[in-house]
Coordinates of all heavy atoms in Angstrom, one line a residue:
Chain C
A1757 N 54.6 -9.3 0.0 CA 54.0 -8.5 1.1 C 53.0 -9.4 1.9 O 52.9 -9.4 3.2 CB 53.3 -7.3 0.6
L1758 N 52.2 -10.1 1.2 CA 51.1 -10.9 1.9 C 51.8 -12.0 2.7 O 51.4 -12.3 3.9 CB 50.3 -11.7 0.9 CG 49.2 -12.6 1.4 CD1 48.2 -11.9 2.3 CD2 48.5 -13.3 0.2
A1759 N 52.9 -12.6 2.2 CA 53.6 -13.6 3.0 C 54.4 -13.0 4.1 O 54.9 -13.8 4.9 CB 54.6 -14.4 2.0
G1760 N 54.5 -11.7 4.1 CA 55.3 -11.1 5.2 C 56.8 -11.1 5.1 O 57.6 -11.4 6.0
F1761 N 57.2 -11.0 3.8 CA 58.7 -11.0 3.5 C 59.3 -9.6 4.0 O 58.6 -8.6 3.9 CB 58.8 -11.1 2.0 CG 60.1 -11.8 1.7 CD1 60.4 -13.2 1.9 CD2 61.2 -11.0 1.1 CE1 61.5 -13.7 1.6 CE2 62.3 -11.6 0.8 CZ 62.5 -13.0 1.0
P1762 N 60.4 -9.7 4.5 CA 61.1 -8.4 5.0 C 61.1 -7.4 3.8 O 61.1 -7.8 2.7 CB 62.5 -8.9 5.3 CG 62.4 -10.3 5.6 CD 61.3 -10.9 4.8
L1763 N 61.2 -6.2 4.2 CA 61.2 -5.0 3.4 C 59.8 -4.6 2.9 O 59.5 -3.5 2.3 CB 62.2 -5.1 2.2 CG 63.6 -5.3 2.5 CD1 64.4 -5.4 1.2 CD2 64.1 -4.2 3.4
T1764 N 58.9 -5.5 3.0 CA 57.5 -5.2 2.5 C 56.6 -4.7 3.7 O 57.0 -4.8 4.9 CB 56.8 -6.4 2.0 OG1 56.7 -7.4 3.0 CG2 57.5 -7.0 0.8
S1765 N 55.6 -4.1 3.4 CA 54.7 -3.6 4.5 C 54.0 -4.7 5.3 O 53.9 -4.6 6.4 CB 53.6 -2.7 3.8 OG 52.9 -3.5 2.9
G1766 N 53.8 -5.7 4.5 CA 53.1 -6.9 5.2 C 54.0 -7.5 6.4 O 53.5 -7.9 7.4
F1767 N 55.3 -7.4 6.1 CA 56.2 -7.9 7.2 C 55.9 -7.1 8.5 O 55.9 -7.7 9.5 CB 57.6 -7.7 6.6 CG 58.7 -7.9 7.6 CD1 59.1 -9.3 7.9 CD2 59.3 -6.9 8.3 CE1 60.1 -9.5 8.8 CE2 60.3 -7.2 9.2 CZ 60.7 -8.5 9.5
L1768 N 55.9 -5.8 8.3 CA 55.7 -5.0 9.5 C 54.5 -5.2 10.2 O 54.4 -5.5 11.5 CB 55.8 -3.5 9.1 CG 57.2 -3.0 8.6 CD1 56.9 -1.6 8.0 CD2 58.1 -2.9 9.7
S1769 N 53.4 -5.2 9.5 CA 52.0 -5.3 10.2 C 51.8 -6.7 10.7 O 51.2 -6.9 11.8 CB 51.0 -4.9 9.2 OG 50.9 -5.7 8.0
K1770 N 52.2 -7.7 9.9 CA 51.9 -9.0 10.4 C 52.8 -9.3 11.6 O 52.3 -9.9 12.6 CB 52.3 -10.0 9.3 CG 51.8 -11.4 9.6 CD 52.1 -12.4 8.5 CE 51.0 -12.5 7.4 NZ 51.4 -13.5 6.4
D1771 N 54.0 -8.9 11.6 CA 54.9 -9.0 12.8 C 54.2 -8.3 14.0 O 54.2 -8.8 15.1 CB 56.2 -8.5 12.5 CG 57.1 -9.4 11.7 OD1 56.6 -10.5 11.4 OD2 58.2 -9.1 11.5
A1772 N 53.6 -7.2 13.7 CA 53.1 -6.4 14.8 C 52.0 -7.3 15.5 O 51.9 -7.4 16.7 CB 52.4 -5.2 14.3
I1773 N 51.2 -7.9 14.7 CA 50.1 -8.7 15.2 C 50.6 -9.9 15.9 O 50.3 -10.2 17.1 CB 49.1 -9.1 14.1 CG1 48.3 -7.9 13.6 CG2 48.0 -10.1 14.6 CD1 47.4 -8.0 12.4
V1774 N 51.5 -10.6 15.2 CA 51.9 -11.9 15.8 C 52.7 -11.7 17.1 O 52.5 -12.4 18.1 CB 52.8 -12.7 14.8 CG1 53.3 -14.0 15.4 CG2 51.9 -13.0 13.5
I1775 N 53.6 -10.7 17.1 CA 54.3 -10.4 18.3 C 53.5 -10.0 19.4 O 53.6 -10.5 20.5 CB 55.4 -9.3 18.0 CG1 56.5 -9.9 17.0 CG2 56.1 -8.8 19.3 CD1 57.5 -8.8 16.4
S1776 N 52.5 -9.1 19.1 CA 51.6 -8.7 20.1 C 50.8 -9.8 20.7 O 50.6 -9.9 21.9 CB 50.6 -7.6 19.6 OG 51.3 -6.6 19.1
A1777 N 50.4 -10.7 19.8 CA 49.7 -11.9 20.3 C 50.5 -12.8 21.2 O 50.0 -13.2 22.2 CB 49.2 -12.7 19.0
F1778 N 51.8 -12.9 20.8 CA 52.6 -13.7 21.7 C 52.8 -13.1 23.1 O 52.6 -13.7 24.1 CB 54.0 -13.9 21.0 CG 54.1 -15.2 20.3 CD1 54.1 -15.3 19.0 CD2 54.2 -16.4 21.1 CE1 54.2 -16.5 18.3 CE2 54.3 -17.7 20.5 CZ 54.3 -17.7 19.1
E1779 N 53.0 -11.8 23.0 CA 53.2 -11.1 24.3 C 51.9 -11.2 25.1 O 52.0 -11.4 26.3 CB 53.5 -9.6 24.0 CG 54.9 -9.3 23.5 CD 55.1 -8.0 23.0 OE1 54.1 -7.2 22.9 OE2 56.2 -7.5 22.7
W1780 N 50.8 -11.0 24.4 CA 49.5 -11.1 25.2 C 49.3 -12.5 25.7 O 49.0 -12.6 27.0 CB 48.4 -10.8 24.2 CG 47.0 -10.9 24.7 CD1 46.3 -10.2 25.5 CD2 46.1 -12.1 24.4 NE1 45.1 -10.7 25.8 CE2 44.9 -11.9 25.0 CE3 46.3 -13.2 23.5 CZ2 43.9 -12.8 24.8 CZ3 45.2 -14.1 23.3 CH2 44.0 -13.9 24.0
A1781 N 49.6 -13.6 24.9 CA 49.4 -14.9 25.4 C 50.3 -15.2 26.5 O 50.0 -15.9 27.5 CB 49.6 -15.8 24.2
L1782 N 51.5 -14.8 26.4 CA 52.5 -15.1 27.5 C 52.1 -14.4 28.7 O 52.2 -14.9 29.8 CB 53.9 -14.6 27.0 CG 54.6 -15.6 26.0 CD1 55.9 -14.9 25.5 CD2 54.9 -16.9 26.5
H1783 N 51.6 -13.2 28.6 CA 51.0 -12.4 29.8 C 49.9 -13.2 30.4 O 49.8 -13.4 31.6 CB 50.6 -11.1 29.3 CG 50.0 -10.3 30.5 ND1 50.8 -9.9 31.6 CD2 48.8 -9.8 30.7 CE1 50.1 -9.2 32.4 NE2 48.8 -9.2 32.0
Q1784 N 49.0 -13.7 29.5 CA 47.8 -14.5 30.1 C 48.2 -15.9 30.5 O 47.7 -16.4 31.5 CB 46.7 -14.5 29.0 CG 46.3 -13.2 28.4 CD 45.3 -12.5 29.3 OE1 44.9 -13.1 30.4 NE2 44.9 -11.3 29.0
G1785 N 49.1 -16.4 29.7 CA 49.6 -17.7 30.0 C 48.7 -18.9 29.6 O 47.5 -18.6 29.2
G1786 N 49.2 -20.1 29.7 CA 48.5 -21.3 29.5 C 47.9 -21.5 28.1 O 48.6 -21.3 27.2
L1787 N 46.6 -21.8 28.1 CA 46.0 -22.2 26.8 C 46.0 -21.0 25.8 O 45.8 -21.3 24.6 CB 44.6 -22.6 27.2 CG 44.0 -23.8 26.3 CD1 44.9 -25.0 26.4 CD2 42.6 -24.1 26.7
Y1788 N 46.1 -19.9 26.3 CA 46.1 -18.7 25.4 C 47.2 -18.8 24.3 O 47.1 -18.2 23.3 CB 46.3 -17.4 26.2 CG 45.0 -17.1 27.0 CD1 44.9 -17.5 28.3 CD2 44.0 -16.3 26.5 CE1 43.8 -17.2 29.1 CE2 42.8 -16.0 27.2 CZ 42.8 -16.5 28.6 OH 41.6 -16.2 29.3
L1789 N 48.2 -19.5 24.6 CA 49.3 -19.7 23.6 C 48.9 -20.3 22.3 O 49.6 -20.1 21.3 CB 50.5 -20.4 24.3 CG 51.5 -19.5 25.1 CD1 52.4 -20.5 25.8 CD2 52.2 -18.7 24.1
V1790 N 47.8 -21.0 22.4 CA 47.3 -21.6 21.1 C 47.1 -20.6 20.0 O 47.4 -20.8 18.9 CB 46.1 -22.4 21.5 CG1 45.4 -22.9 20.2 CG2 46.3 -23.5 22.4
I1791 N 46.6 -19.4 20.5 CA 46.2 -18.4 19.4 C 47.5 -17.9 18.6 O 47.5 -18.0 17.5 CB 45.5 -17.3 20.2 CG1 44.1 -17.7 20.5 CG2 45.3 -16.0 19.3 CD1 43.2 -16.8 21.3
P1792 N 48.5 -17.4 19.3 CA 49.7 -17.0 18.5 C 50.3 -18.2 17.7 O 50.8 -17.9 16.6 CB 50.6 -16.4 19.5 CG 50.2 -16.9 20.8 CD 48.8 -17.1 20.8
I1793 N 50.3 -19.3 18.3 CA 50.9 -20.5 17.6 C 50.1 -20.7 16.3 O 50.6 -20.9 15.2 CB 51.0 -21.7 18.5 CG1 52.0 -21.6 19.5 CG2 51.3 -23.0 17.6 CD1 52.0 -22.5 20.6
I1794 N 48.8 -20.7 16.4 CA 48.0 -20.8 15.2 C 48.3 -19.7 14.2 O 48.4 -20.0 13.0 CB 46.5 -20.9 15.5 CG1 46.2 -22.2 16.3 CG2 45.6 -20.7 14.3 CD1 44.7 -22.3 16.8
L1795 N 48.5 -18.5 14.8 CA 48.8 -17.5 13.8 C 50.0 -17.7 13.0 O 50.1 -17.3 11.8 CB 48.9 -16.1 14.6 CG 47.5 -15.5 15.2 CD1 47.8 -14.2 15.8 CD2 46.5 -15.4 14.0
V1796 N 51.0 -18.3 13.7 CA 52.3 -18.6 13.0 C 52.0 -19.6 11.9 O 52.5 -19.5 10.8 CB 53.3 -19.1 14.0 CG1 54.5 -19.6 13.3 CG2 53.7 -18.0 15.0
I1797 N 51.2 -20.6 12.3 CA 50.9 -21.7 11.3 C 50.3 -21.0 10.1 O 50.5 -21.3 9.0 CB 50.0 -22.8 12.0 CG1 50.8 -23.5 13.0 CG2 49.5 -23.7 10.8 CD1 50.0 -24.4 13.9
V1798 N 49.3 -20.2 10.4 CA 48.5 -19.5 9.3 C 49.5 -18.7 8.4 O 49.4 -18.7 7.2 CB 47.4 -18.5 9.9 CG1 46.9 -17.6 8.9 CG2 46.4 -19.3 10.6
S1799 N 50.5 -18.1 9.1 CA 51.4 -17.3 8.3 C 52.2 -18.2 7.3 O 52.4 -17.9 6.2 CB 52.5 -16.7 9.3 OG 53.4 -15.9 8.6
V1800 N 52.6 -19.3 7.8 CA 53.3 -20.4 6.9 C 52.3 -20.7 5.8 O 52.8 -20.7 4.6 CB 53.7 -21.5 7.8 CG1 54.3 -22.6 6.9 CG2 54.7 -21.2 8.8
L1801 N 51.1 -21.1 6.2 CA 50.1 -21.5 5.2 C 49.9 -20.4 4.1 O 49.8 -20.7 2.9 CB 48.8 -21.9 5.8 CG 48.8 -23.1 6.7 CD1 47.5 -23.3 7.3 CD2 49.1 -24.4 5.8
T1802 N 49.8 -19.2 4.6 CA 49.7 -18.0 3.7 C 50.8 -18.0 2.7 O 50.6 -17.8 1.5 CB 49.7 -16.7 4.6 OG1 48.7 -16.9 5.6 CG2 49.3 -15.6 3.7
A1803 N 52.0 -18.0 3.2 CA 53.2 -18.1 2.3 C 53.1 -19.1 1.3 O 53.3 -19.0 0.1 CB 54.4 -18.2 3.1
F1804 N 52.6 -20.3 1.7 CA 52.5 -21.5 0.8 C 51.4 -21.2 -0.3 O 51.7 -21.4 -1.4 CB 52.2 -22.7 1.6 CG 52.2 -24.0 0.7 CD1 53.4 -24.6 0.4 CD2 51.1 -24.5 0.3 CE1 53.4 -25.7 -0.4 CE2 51.0 -25.6 -0.5 CZ 52.2 -26.2 -0.9
Y1805 N 50.3 -20.8 0.2 CA 49.2 -20.8 -0.8 C 49.5 -19.6 -1.8 O 49.1 -19.7 -3.0 CB 47.8 -20.8 -0.3 CG 47.4 -19.6 0.6 CD1 47.2 -18.4 0.0 CD2 47.0 -19.8 1.9 CE1 46.7 -17.3 0.8 CE2 46.5 -18.7 2.6 CZ 46.4 -17.4 2.0 OH 46.0 -16.4 2.8
I1806 N 50.0 -18.5 -1.3 CA 50.3 -17.5 -2.3 C 51.4 -17.8 -3.2 O 51.4 -17.5 -4.4 CB 50.5 -16.1 -1.5 CG1 50.3 -15.0 -2.5 CG2 51.9 -16.0 -1.0 CD1 48.9 -14.8 -2.9
G1807 N 52.4 -18.6 -2.6 CA 53.4 -19.1 -3.5 C 52.9 -20.0 -4.6 O 53.2 -19.9 -5.8
R1808 N 51.9 -20.9 -4.1 CA 51.3 -21.8 -5.1 C 50.6 -21.0 -6.2 O 50.7 -21.4 -7.4 CB 50.3 -22.6 -4.3 CG 49.4 -23.5 -5.1 CD 48.6 -24.4 -4.2 NE 47.5 -25.1 -5.0 CZ 46.2 -24.7 -5.0 NH1 45.9 -23.5 -4.4 NH2 45.4 -25.4 -5.6
L1809 N 50.0 -20.0 -5.8 CA 49.3 -19.1 -6.7 C 50.3 -18.6 -7.8 O 50.0 -18.7 -9.0 CB 48.5 -18.0 -6.1 CG 47.6 -17.1 -7.0 CD1 46.4 -16.7 -6.0 CD2 48.2 -16.0 -7.5
I1810 N 51.3 -18.0 -7.3 CA 52.3 -17.4 -8.3 C 52.8 -18.5 -9.1 O 52.9 -18.3 -10.4 CB 53.4 -16.7 -7.4 CG1 52.8 -15.5 -6.7 CG2 54.5 -16.2 -8.4 CD1 52.4 -14.3 -7.5
F1811 N 53.3 -19.6 -8.6 CA 54.0 -20.6 -9.3 C 53.1 -21.2 -10.4 O 53.4 -21.4 -11.5 CB 54.4 -21.7 -8.4 CG 55.5 -21.3 -7.5 CD1 55.5 -21.7 -6.1 CD2 56.5 -20.4 -7.9 CE1 56.5 -21.3 -5.2 CE2 57.5 -20.0 -7.0 CZ 57.5 -20.4 -5.7
K1812 N 51.8 -21.4 -10.0 CA 50.9 -22.1 -10.9 C 50.5 -21.1 -12.1 O 50.3 -21.6 -13.2 CB 49.6 -22.5 -10.2 CG 49.8 -23.8 -9.4 CD 48.4 -24.4 -9.1 CE 48.3 -25.7 -9.9 NZ 47.3 -26.6 -9.5
T1813 N 50.5 -19.8 -11.7 CA 50.0 -18.9 -12.7 C 51.2 -18.5 -13.7 O 51.0 -18.4 -14.9 CB 49.5 -17.6 -12.1 OG1 48.5 -18.0 -11.1 CG2 48.8 -16.7 -13.0
F1814 N 52.3 -18.2 -13.1 CA 53.3 -17.5 -13.9 C 54.5 -18.5 -14.3 O 55.2 -18.1 -15.3 CB 53.9 -16.3 -13.1 CG 52.9 -15.2 -13.0 CD1 52.2 -14.9 -11.8 CD2 52.6 -14.3 -14.1 CE1 51.3 -14.0 -11.7 CE2 51.7 -13.4 -14.0 CZ 51.1 -13.2 -12.9
F1815 N 54.6 -19.5 -13.7 CA 55.7 -20.4 -14.0 C 55.3 -21.5 -14.9 O 54.1 -21.8 -15.1 CB 56.4 -21.0 -12.7 CG 57.2 -19.8 -12.0 CD1 56.6 -19.0 -11.1 CD2 58.6 -19.6 -12.3 CE1 57.3 -18.0 -10.5 CE2 59.2 -18.6 -11.6 CZ 58.6 -17.8 -10.7
G1816 N 56.3 -22.2 -15.3 CA 56.0 -23.4 -16.2 C 55.6 -23.0 -17.6 O 55.9 -21.9 -18.0
T1817 N 54.6 -23.7 -18.1 CA 54.1 -23.4 -19.5 C 52.6 -23.3 -19.4 O 52.0 -23.8 -18.5 CB 54.5 -24.5 -20.5 OG1 54.1 -25.7 -19.9 CG2 55.9 -24.5 -20.8
L1818 N 52.1 -22.6 -20.4 CA 50.6 -22.4 -20.5 C 49.9 -23.8 -20.6 O 50.2 -24.5 -21.6 CB 50.2 -21.5 -21.6 CG 48.8 -20.9 -21.6 CD1 48.6 -20.0 -20.4 CD2 48.6 -20.1 -22.9
R1819 N 49.0 -24.1 -19.6 CA 48.5 -25.5 -19.6 C 47.4 -25.6 -20.7 O 47.2 -26.7 -21.3 CB 48.0 -25.8 -18.3 CG 49.1 -26.0 -17.3 CD 48.5 -26.4 -15.9 NE 49.7 -26.4 -14.9 CZ 50.0 -25.3 -14.3 NH1 49.5 -24.2 -14.6 NH2 51.1 -25.4 -13.4
V1820 N 46.6 -24.6 -20.9 CA 45.5 -24.7 -21.9 C 46.2 -24.5 -23.3 O 46.9 -23.6 -23.5 CB 44.4 -23.7 -21.6 CG1 44.9 -22.2 -21.7 CG2 43.3 -23.9 -22.5
K1821 N 45.9 -25.5 -24.1 CA 46.6 -25.5 -25.4 C 45.6 -24.9 -26.4 O 44.6 -25.5 -26.8 CB 47.0 -27.0 -25.8 CG 47.9 -27.6 -24.8 CD 49.4 -26.9 -25.0 CE 50.3 -27.6 -24.0 NZ 50.8 -26.6 -23.0
V1822 N 45.9 -23.7 -26.9 CA 45.0 -23.1 -27.9 C 45.8 -22.7 -29.1 O 45.2 -22.6 -30.1 CB 44.4 -21.9 -27.3 CG1 43.4 -22.2 -26.3 CG2 45.4 -20.9 -26.7
G1823 N 47.2 -22.6 -29.0 CA 47.9 -22.3 -30.1 C 47.8 -20.8 -30.5 O 48.3 -20.5 -31.6
H1824 N 47.2 -20.1 -29.7 CA 47.1 -18.6 -30.0 C 47.8 -17.8 -28.9 O 47.3 -16.8 -28.4 CB 45.7 -18.2 -30.2 CG 45.1 -18.9 -31.3 ND1 45.2 -18.4 -32.6 CD2 44.2 -19.8 -31.4 CE1 44.6 -19.1 -33.4 NE2 43.9 -20.0 -32.7
E1825 N 48.9 -18.3 -28.3 CA 49.5 -17.7 -27.2 C 49.8 -16.2 -27.4 O 49.9 -15.5 -26.5 CB 50.8 -18.4 -26.8 CG 50.6 -19.7 -26.0 CD 50.3 -20.9 -27.0 OE1 50.2 -20.6 -28.2 OE2 50.2 -22.0 -26.6
A1826 N 50.0 -15.9 -28.7 CA 50.3 -14.5 -29.1 C 49.3 -13.5 -28.6 O 49.5 -12.4 -28.3 CB 50.5 -14.4 -30.5
Y1827 N 48.0 -14.0 -28.4 CA 46.9 -13.1 -28.0 C 47.1 -12.7 -26.5 O 46.6 -11.7 -26.0 CB 45.6 -13.8 -28.0 CG 45.1 -13.9 -29.5 CD1 45.1 -15.1 -30.2 CD2 44.8 -12.7 -30.1 CE1 44.6 -15.2 -31.5 CE2 44.4 -12.8 -31.5 CZ 44.2 -14.0 -32.1 OH 43.8 -14.0 -33.4
V1828 N 47.9 -13.5 -25.7 CA 48.2 -13.1 -24.4 C 49.3 -12.1 -24.4 O 50.4 -12.3 -24.9 CB 48.6 -14.3 -23.5 CG1 48.8 -13.9 -22.1 CG2 47.5 -15.4 -23.6
H1829 N 49.0 -10.9 -23.8 CA 50.0 -9.9 -23.9 C 49.9 -9.1 -22.6 O 49.0 -9.3 -21.7 CB 49.9 -9.0 -25.1 CG 48.5 -8.4 -25.2 ND1 48.0 -7.4 -24.5 CD2 47.5 -8.8 -26.0 CE1 46.8 -7.2 -24.8 NE2 46.4 -8.0 -25.7
E1830 N 50.8 -8.2 -22.4 CA 50.8 -7.3 -21.2 C 49.5 -6.5 -21.1 O 48.9 -6.1 -22.1 CB 52.0 -6.4 -21.3 CG 52.3 -5.7 -20.0 CD 52.6 -6.7 -18.8 OE1 53.6 -7.2 -18.7 OE2 51.6 -6.9 -18.1
A1831 N 49.1 -6.3 -19.8 CA 48.0 -5.4 -19.6 C 48.2 -4.0 -20.1 O 49.3 -3.5 -20.1 CB 47.6 -5.4 -18.0
P1832 N 47.2 -3.2 -20.4 CA 47.3 -1.9 -20.9 C 47.9 -1.0 -19.8 O 47.8 -1.3 -18.6 CB 45.9 -1.4 -21.4 CG 45.0 -2.4 -20.7 CD 45.7 -3.7 -20.6
K1833 N 48.4 0.2 -20.2 CA 49.0 1.1 -19.3 C 48.1 1.6 -18.1 O 48.4 1.7 -17.0 CB 49.5 2.3 -20.0 CG 50.9 2.1 -20.6 CD 51.7 3.5 -20.6 CE 53.2 3.2 -20.9 NZ 53.3 2.9 -22.4
T1834 N 46.9 1.8 -18.6 CA 45.8 2.4 -17.6 C 45.7 1.3 -16.5 O 45.3 1.7 -15.4 CB 44.5 2.7 -18.2 OG1 44.2 1.6 -19.2 CG2 44.5 4.0 -18.9
M1835 N 46.0 0.1 -16.8 CA 45.8 -0.9 -15.7 C 47.2 -1.0 -15.0 O 47.1 -1.2 -13.7 CB 45.4 -2.3 -16.3 CG 43.9 -2.3 -16.6 SD 43.6 -3.6 -17.7 CE 43.4 -5.0 -16.7
L1836 N 48.2 -0.9 -15.7 CA 49.5 -1.1 -15.0 C 49.9 0.0 -14.1 O 50.5 -0.2 -13.1 CB 50.6 -1.2 -16.1 CG 50.7 -2.6 -16.7 CD1 51.7 -2.7 -17.8 CD2 51.0 -3.7 -15.7
I1837 N 49.5 1.3 -14.5 CA 49.9 2.4 -13.6 C 49.3 2.3 -12.2 O 50.1 2.4 -11.2 CB 49.6 3.7 -14.4 CG1 50.5 3.9 -15.5 CG2 49.7 4.9 -13.3 CD1 50.1 5.0 -16.5
P1838 N 48.0 2.0 -12.1 CA 47.5 1.8 -10.7 C 48.2 0.7 -10.1 O 48.5 0.7 -8.8 CB 46.1 1.5 -11.0 CG 45.7 2.0 -12.4 CD 46.9 2.0 -13.1
L1839 N 48.5 -0.4 -10.8 CA 49.1 -1.5 -10.1 C 50.5 -1.1 -9.6 O 50.9 -1.5 -8.5 CB 49.3 -2.6 -11.2 CG 48.1 -3.3 -11.7 CD1 48.4 -4.5 -12.5 CD2 47.2 -3.9 -10.5
A1840 N 51.2 -0.3 -10.4 CA 52.5 0.1 -10.0 C 52.4 1.0 -8.7 O 53.3 0.9 -7.8 CB 53.2 0.9 -11.1
F1841 N 51.4 1.9 -8.7 CA 51.3 2.7 -7.6 C 51.0 1.9 -6.3 O 51.6 2.1 -5.2 CB 50.1 3.6 -7.9 CG 49.7 4.4 -6.7 CD1 50.3 5.5 -6.2 CD2 48.5 4.0 -6.0 CE1 49.9 6.2 -5.1 CE2 48.0 4.8 -4.9 CZ 48.8 5.8 -4.4
L1842 N 50.2 0.9 -6.4 CA 49.8 0.1 -5.3 C 51.1 -0.7 -4.9 O 51.3 -0.9 -3.7 CB 48.7 -0.9 -5.6 CG 47.3 -0.2 -5.8 CD1 46.3 -1.1 -6.4 CD2 46.9 0.3 -4.4
A1843 N 51.8 -1.2 -5.9 CA 53.1 -2.0 -5.5 C 54.0 -1.1 -4.8 O 54.6 -1.6 -3.7 CB 53.8 -2.4 -6.9
V1844 N 54.2 0.2 -5.1 CA 55.1 1.1 -4.4 C 54.5 1.1 -2.9 O 55.4 1.2 -2.0 CB 55.1 2.5 -5.0 CG1 55.8 3.5 -4.1 CG2 55.8 2.4 -6.3
C1845 N 53.2 1.3 -2.8 CA 52.6 1.4 -1.5 C 52.8 0.1 -0.6 O 52.5 0.0 0.5 CB 51.2 1.7 -1.6 SG 51.0 3.4 -2.1

Side-chain angles (χ1 to χ4, degrees):
Chain C
L1758 177 63
F1761 206 74
L1763 300 177
T1764 61
S1765 59
F1767 173 79
L1768 294 168
S1769 57
K1770 195 181 267 184
D1771 281 2
I1773 291 171
V1774 176
I1775 291 168
S1776 301
F1778 261 109
E1779 286 169 351
W1780 171 77
L1782 287 171
H1783 178 67
Q1784 303 279 357
L1787 213 58
Y1788 289 90
L1789 270 171
V1790 173
I1791 288 174
I1793 288 168
I1794 288 175
L1795 288 187
V1796 172
I1797 295 167
V1798 170
S1799 177
V1800 176
L1801 290 175
T1802 307
F1804 183 79
Y1805 67 67
I1806 198 67
R1808 171 171 170 266
L1809 188 146
I1810 294 289
F1811 296 140
K1812 285 199 109 165
T1813 311
F1814 290 103
F1815 289 86
T1817 51
L1818 195 61
R1819 288 182 189 81
V1820 62
K1821 297 288 178 244
V1822 289
H1824 295 284
E1825 283 83 356
Y1827 285 112
V1828 182
H1829 52 77
E1830 191 58 81
K1833 274 216 172 70
T1834 43
M1835 282 160 85
L1836 279 176
I1837 290 168
L1839 293 184
F1841 169 75
L1842 290 168
V1844 170
C1845 291

